Amino acid sequence: MTPHNDIVLFHYTFSPFAKRIVWYLALRGIDYAQCLQPPTLPREDVNALGVKYRRIPILSIGRDIYCDTRLILDKLEESFPSGKLGASQPEQKAIEKLLEKWTVDGVFPRAAQLIPPAMPLLNDAKFVQDRKDMTGRSWAISAIAEGRPEALAHMREFFQLFESTILADGRDWVLNTEKPTLADIHAVWPFHWLSAMKGALPPTIFGRDNFPKVYAFIDRFSNAVKEAEQTAPKCTKLKGAEAVKRISQAEFAESDGTVDEKDPLGLKKGQDVESWPIDSGFNHRDRGTPCPMASTTSLDVLILTFNCGRNLLRPELLARHLSAAFPDSSPGPDIIVLSLQELAPLAYSFLGGSYLLPHFGQFRHAISLAGHKAFGETRYTDVVTRNIGMTACMVFVQEEQKGKVQWVETGGVGVGVQEMGNKGAVGVRLGYTVPEEGIMELTFVAAHLAPMEDALARRNEDWKNIVRGLVFTPMHSKEVHNDTAATAESEPLLANGTSNHATSGIYTPTSHLILAGDLNYRTSSTTPRPSSDLAFPQPTSSPTDPQHYTHLLRSDQLTREREAGRTCHGLREAPITFPPTYKYSGKAQALAGETDGNLAGVGGWGWAKHRWPSWCDRVLFLDVPGRMDGVEMEVQNYTALPLMPTSDHQAVVLRLKVPLMAIPAADESDEEDVRTRPPFAVDPRWKERRAAARRKEVVVGLLAYLFWTWEGNGILLALLVGVLAGWAIVSRGMLET
């Protein structure tokens, strides 16, 4: 038997509907796992399954997902037939179904109106708005109070009916059985819920003396459940990511279904349909075909961008900051992407090869530590590392999933001096296997654009040159690290697949696109005046405070230029909820080493006075095309990590759920999809221009190595000594003759 019978129950503890399922599983002694959810939207774990149904509970058996407690109970009865709680005789089945209909559609709507106005939840604006959105009626305390008398009248009628008919002859259980059955679950749940809610039922009307049989039945049922729980398997709690991963990797519990040929709606197998509740939660609709779910729903991708300040990383710091940003995040992301700028000193970056091994090695060590500390012992493999000058991209995949990476394409372009890579972009495109879907394409671009406040036009031009000059070409498994460092690994990191499309730029019709980097867009077009630093953002919890960072955010160049269609065309960004990431002073960096990056507690953010604090470090992504109805990119978290002492930038992290499905070819309905109509055409001379720039990088790298590094100075000194010694020998010989 698979763990927990392959059952995962998504619910929150005080949901009256979820109690029906929890009781059933306890009375049956069925092993299961649960994933607790918030009582209000959003429910990110449910979203990660691709389910838009907004009500609780939801239950999965294997990879099949069931909504609505009536369907869930039917499926549990069907899936575990030995010891069923459901009735076997026709007349008893009729009573069972009538009770279910009565309590779900008749009793509970009135019971929900009896939530006492003093209940803390009714003073929670988020809860009140959530329930208003779900039911279509007001949940304000005044509205609850206004409808309460009528609801009490209906509820007294329900209590009287139960007391004087079903329980009138003194039976213990609804069907006069020895133990509780499914009919008892159907009958008891709204009465049980109300009787346990202090202040819901006035004792003068609903006291135990008024309805002794109903309350005795409630007590009897509660005791029976408690007794069953003593011997039932203990329920295992799963974190959201773990539950989603378990479901995604499970087999279907049901075979491919059939559709009734005489269905009154005329539904056909494979036909696209929408489904939603008609009583509440009707604004959240699921779209699909009337058959089991075809595939898992999303790929968990974490993208980190960091300007390294040309210094070696301290791996333990990055791992600790990731652990703090994603507590209890097990398992870890499927893919981790690092966008690195100013990776190393210019000489090492331009020469590449073994000169960059120590720098890349520190990041590999950091991801290994993070997999252990932050992501629940998740092991990662570096499937591709590529740099163009001082900008690099590293892509890590969970070790157990590396076989899903079928092919890799890479590209790069310099936009710095003479098109060299002191500024520029490097791209990685993966072909990732999706069961029953084929290959999904993921494009990651790491970029570093022109600096300085007054270089806005240059930054936009850099973006244009990246779109025109960054062109992807295939890599073979043995070439994965060759651009930057040789490895000792003999096992191929990639499968033997190849991409199907011709050479292409960063926009391609069938690929997701994520851009990350030090894009260098500022919050002013001029440098600060001597007194400007007095208005720089500082830690404050009040958005009305003039020094709250949100005031400066309104001047963000990237947001303005992107919305105007002058840069990052088609890309969008999650809301920014963190302070500027640049530029910190040397004193702040020193303090970061002492305080683990917590500058707010030691006198405020220590900005450099000669630069406007800005959100230079960003991660943007391209939404799924319009032809993919019903799926979307889902942001899990977008945040800045604490400052590290080796850089004047903070690292920024985006965690994103990417729909796990291949993007279909474009059609006529996608005329506005930037994938099919990029803002700029690829430069036909991209290859020769990159080759020419690379030759310049080697020359500049050698000169920088000789004059700007201790090793190079040593070589020059040795050459100078050699020349002087040779000159001395020659001179002496000439004198002797």
Side-chain angles (χ1 to χ4, degrees):
M1 182 66 70
T2 54
H4 313 110
N5 296 304
D6 255 351
I7 297 174
V8 180
L9 176 65
F10 294 80
H11 71 112
Y12 56 90
T13 55
F14 58 91
S15 164
F17 281 89
K19 289 291 186 186
R20 286 156 48 86
I21 310 303
V22 172
W23 291 336
Y24 178 92
L25 293 166
L27 291 170
R28 290 289 309 275
I30 295 174
D31 192 12
Y32 70 104
Q34 66 177 351
C35 181
L36 295 178
Q37 299 297 300
T40 59
L41 297 183
R43 298 189 180 109
E44 302 296 351
D45 304 326
V46 176
N47 292 341
L49 294 170
V51 176
K52 297 186 181 300
Y53 182 84
R54 69 138 295 147
R55 301 198 301 197
I56 288 292
I58 292 170
L59 181 132
S60 68
I61 303 177
R63 205 190 289 185
D64 296 309
I65 298 172
Y66 302 101
C67 307
D68 191 282
T69 53
R70 288 166 285 199
L71 175 62
I72 291 171
L73 289 169
D74 286 345
K75 283 298 174 183
L76 288 171
E77 287 277 280
E78 178 185 308
S79 302
F80 302 90
S82 178
K84 292 195 299 184
L85 294 185
S88 57
Q89 299 300 317
E91 64 272 21
Q92 291 184 333
K93 286 184 178 180
I95 294 172
E96 184 179 279
K97 286 298 180 184
L98 287 170
L99 278 172
E100 183 181 54
K101 179 73 173 175
W102 178 56
T103 53
V104 170
D105 296 334
V107 179
F108 182 74
R110 295 300 183 179
Q113 292 178 286
L114 294 178
I115 296 176
M119 180 74 72
L121 279 175
L122 292 183
N123 291 295
D124 183 338
K126 182 179 179 182
F127 178 86
V128 170
Q129 184 62 45
D130 180 85
R131 289 310 190 262
K132 179 182 177 182
D133 293 342
M134 181 178 75
T135 62
R137 63 177 176 83
S138 174
W139 278 66
I141 291 177
S142 58
I144 293 286
E146 183 179 351
R148 185 173 173 80
E150 182 181 353
L152 285 171
H154 282 284
M155 191 53 60
R156 184 172 66 171
E157 179 184 345
F158 296 147
F159 267 73
Q160 288 173 338
L161 180 64
F162 205 13
E163 180 86 11
S164 61
T165 57
I166 298 172
L167 301 176
D169 61 0
R171 64 182 62 195
D172 287 342
W173 307 111
V174 169
L175 299 181
N176 209 15
T177 51
E178 294 182 359
K179 296 180 179 180
T181 66
L182 191 56
D184 298 290
I185 295 175
H186 290 329
V188 76
W189 68 279
F191 300 98
H192 183 284
W193 180 60
L194 277 179
S195 65
M197 192 185 307
K198 187 177 180 181
L201 298 174
T204 55
I205 304 174
F206 295 91
R208 285 181 171 267
D209 293 338
N210 301 86
F211 304 104
K213 292 184 174 65
V214 173
Y215 283 101
F217 174 66
I218 294 171
D219 294 340
R220 199 159 46 247
F221 184 86
S222 297
N223 292 333
V225 171
K226 290 177 183 177
E227 183 178 345
E229 287 173 342
Q230 299 301 313
T231 56
K234 186 177 180 180
C235 175
T236 299
K237 292 183 179 179
L238 300 179
K239 296 183 177 68
E242 186 179 0
V244 171
K245 182 177 181 181
R246 179 179 294 192
I247 294 167
S248 301
Q249 295 178 348
E251 298 294 328
F252 289 116
E254 294 189 86
S255 59
D256 197 15
T258 59
V259 178
D260 185 358
E261 292 183 357
K262 298 180 180 179
D263 181 82
L265 297 176
L267 297 178
K268 304 295 181 184
K269 186 175 179 180
Q271 178 182 354
D272 217 23
V273 299
E274 274 190 336
S275 65
W276 66 93
I278 60 173
D279 52 351
S280 66
F282 32 77
N283 292 326
H284 297 261
R285 304 184 177 191
D286 287 286
R287 188 179 183 88
T289 57
C291 61
M293 187 172 69
S295 66
T296 185
T297 58
S298 63
L299 194 68
D300 187 354
V301 181
L302 185 149
I303 307 99
L304 178 147
T305 180
F306 181 48
N307 185 310
C308 309
R310 310 186 187 195
N311 294 313
L312 280 170
L313 176 76
R314 289 170 55 178
E316 72 286 352
L317 273 184
L318 179 58
R320 189 157 66 243
H321 293 334
L322 283 171
S323 182
F326 301 100
D328 302 321
S329 183
S330 176
D334 299 300
I335 296 176
I336 297 177
V337 181
L338 304 183
S339 168
L340 308 173
Q341 310 85 45
E342 297 195 359
L343 171 68
L346 185 141
Y348 300 156
S349 297
F350 276 14
L351 293 176
S354 60
Y355 292 103
L356 291 178
L357 272 175
H359 295 268
F360 286 123
Q362 294 296 84
F363 280 98
R364 292 186 182 110
H365 185 39
I367 296 304
S368 176
L369 290 175
H372 172 70
K373 294 180 178 180
F375 303 132
E377 304 293 342
T378 306
R379 296 171 61 88
Y380 289 94
T381 296
D382 176 10
V383 296
V384 59
T385 292
R386 175 80 193 272
N387 80 297
I388 291 293
M390 302 176 77
T391 303
C393 185
M394 305 180 75
V395 179
F396 298 82
V397 175
Q398 281 193 25
E399 193 168 88
E400 63 186 36
Q401 297 188 40
K402 65 183 180 182
K404 295 182 179 180
V405 180
Q406 290 296 305
W407 50 259
V408 170
E409 295 178 345
T410 63
V413 62
V415 296
V417 178
Q418 293 290 303
E419 298 184 348
M420 288 187 288
N422 56 309
K423 296 291 186 290
V426 57
V428 172
R429 179 171 289 149
L430 306 179
Y432 190 92
T433 302
V434 181
E436 303 178 24
E437 287 273 344
I439 303 294
M440 71 178 291
E441 298 176 22
L442 297 155
T443 300
F444 305 104
V445 175
H448 193 186
L449 308 186
M452 311 302 286
E453 279 86 354
D454 60 357
L456 174 60
R458 176 65 199 186
R459 282 187 279 280
N460 289 349
E461 186 70 16
D462 285 350
W463 169 251
K464 176 181 178 179
N465 291 331
I466 288 170
V467 176
R468 298 200 69 208
L470 198 162
V471 178
F472 290 86
T473 57
M475 293 184 79
H476 300 291
S477 60
K478 64 181 181 180
E479 299 177 317
V480 168
H481 300 286
N482 285 359
D483 251 295
T484 54
T487 70
E489 298 179 26
S490 58
E491 180 184 358
L493 293 176
L494 306 179
N496 295 320
T498 56
S499 59
N500 295 322
H501 45 69
T503 300
S504 61
I506 66 174
Y507 292 103
T508 187
T510 54
S511 180
H512 297 288
L513 172 61
I514 300 172
L515 168 70
D518 178 0
L519 304 185
N520 253 324
Y521 284 92
R522 307 301 174 91
T523 53
S524 176
S525 296
T526 59
T527 55
R529 296 190 298 272
S531 60
S532 294
D533 63 291
L534 298 176
F536 285 0
Q538 290 299 337
T540 174
S541 60
S542 173
T544 61
D545 190 315
Q547 287 194 298
H548 195 274
Y549 68 83
T550 52
H551 298 286
L552 187 62
L553 182 58
R554 298 181 189 130
S555 302
D556 176 56
Q557 292 177 344
L558 177 56
T559 302
R560 183 180 70 239
E561 296 299 296
R562 182 173 56 82
E563 291 177 350
R566 292 188 286 265
T567 191
C568 300
H569 300 77
L571 299 174
R572 79 172 176 94
E573 185 177 21
I576 292 176
T577 58
F578 47 87
T581 60
Y582 173 86
K583 172 180 174 70
Y584 287 91
S585 66
K587 180 180 179 181
Q589 293 176 60
L591 282 172
E594 301 171 8
T595 64
D596 211 17
N598 180 22
L599 300 182
V602 289
W605 300 318
W607 304 114
K609 296 182 179 181
H610 64 292
R611 292 282 177 263
W612 278 100
S614 298
W615 288 265
C616 291
D617 310 276
R618 312 288 273 270
V619 185
L620 299 92
F621 57 93
L622 195 58
D623 268 322
V624 297
R627 58 186 176 274
M628 295 177 68
D629 260 353
V631 296
E632 59 185 11
M633 307 284 264
E634 296 180 14
V635 174
Q636 304 298 299
N637 197 2
Y638 188 39
T639 188
L641 300 184
L643 184 68
M644 289 184 274
T646 54
S647 176
D648 52 6
H649 290 251
Q650 288 178 277
V652 170
V653 180
L654 171 70
R655 193 162 181 179
L656 190 66
K657 295 286 189 182
V658 181
L660 190 54
M661 57 182 65
I663 296 179
D667 55 33
E668 295 180 358
S669 67
D670 287 319
E671 292 184 0
E672 297 183 3
D673 184 8
V674 70
R675 291 175 177 82
T676 61
R677 289 172 172 76
F680 312 107
V682 169
D683 183 352
R685 297 179 56 242
W686 68 269
K687 194 169 186 178
E688 59 186 273
R689 295 179 73 162
R690 175 85 285 266
R694 180 61 188 141
R695 289 191 292 270
K696 296 173 187 175
E697 288 171 358
V698 172
V699 173
V700 172
L702 284 170
L703 292 173
Y705 182 78
L706 291 173
F707 290 100
W708 293 350
T709 69
W710 288 108
E711 306 98 304
N713 292 166
I715 293 172
L716 284 177
L717 181 61
L719 286 172
L720 180 61
V721 170
V723 169
L724 291 174
W727 180 81
I729 293 170
V730 171
S731 298
R732 181 178 178 181
M734 292 175 64
L735 291 172
E736 289 177 352
T737 60

